[in-house]
Amino acid sequence: MSGRAVLSRGTGSWLAVTVLLAFCAVAIALVYTRHESRQLFVELQKLSKERDALQIEWRQLQLEQHAYAAHGRIEEKAIGPLSLVRPQTGDIFLITDQGDYRFVGLKPVGDELQSIADTATPNERGL
């Protein structure tokens, strides 16, 4: 016999069985990963549709919020059902962070109204 290793008949059949089992395992793993990939893709599509629907709803809610916050609508609600009235300029006073306050009014200067501060307290003004 030469220096080559000679495989016995039993060793060759075990090698063939091992290779066959390895090919089967790889084939099963390939089928499993493709199936899982398809399931994840379906879930991704579903979540994308849900995201798009939520974005549309978000835009509609923003439009609705802007409509409710419009100055004209707020004024209409204040005057109508709430029966609120705009205060006279002499009835407006400013409260500062320190707790003191002063009356603020508007006086005409040319064609514009300009803010003036009256230092009288509410008691001095008869309020």
Side-chain angles (χ1 to χ4, degrees):
M1 285 216 203
S2 64
R4 286 192 237 162
V6 177
L7 295 175
S8 66
R9 188 172 196 170
T11 306
S13 63
W14 280 107
L15 182 63
V17 169
T18 305
V19 170
L20 180 63
L21 288 176
F23 281 140
C24 288
V26 168
I28 291 172
L30 179 66
V31 169
Y32 175 77
T33 56
R34 284 195 177 182
H35 176 70
E36 190 173 346
S37 174
R38 287 184 181 130
Q39 284 182 330
L40 290 173
F41 181 74
V42 168
E43 185 178 350
L44 174 67
Q45 295 292 16
K46 183 178 113 180
L47 291 173
S48 294
K49 286 180 183 178
E50 185 179 348
R51 180 202 60 210
D52 293 342
L54 289 172
Q55 284 179 341
I56 290 170
E57 183 181 358
W58 173 249
R59 284 189 218 116
Q60 289 172 343
L61 289 172
Q62 284 180 322
L63 288 172
E64 187 176 335
Q65 180 185 15
H66 288 297
Y68 283 135
H71 293 292
R73 185 177 188 285
I74 293 172
E75 186 174 5
E76 175 185 316
K77 292 292 182 183
I79 292 171
L82 298 175
S83 302
L84 299 178
V85 294
R86 187 177 303 271
Q88 299 296 321
T89 56
D91 295 335
I92 300 172
F93 62 96
L94 175 69
I95 300 174
T96 64
D97 292 341
Q98 290 80 24
D100 58 339
Y101 50 88
R102 59 189 173 144
F103 284 92
V104 177
L106 299 175
K107 69 175 185 177
V109 176
D111 291 339
E112 298 180 8
L113 293 177
Q114 189 178 54
S115 176
I116 60 170
D118 184 357
T119 57
T121 63
N123 292 336
E124 293 172 354
R125 293 186 56 107
L127 297 175

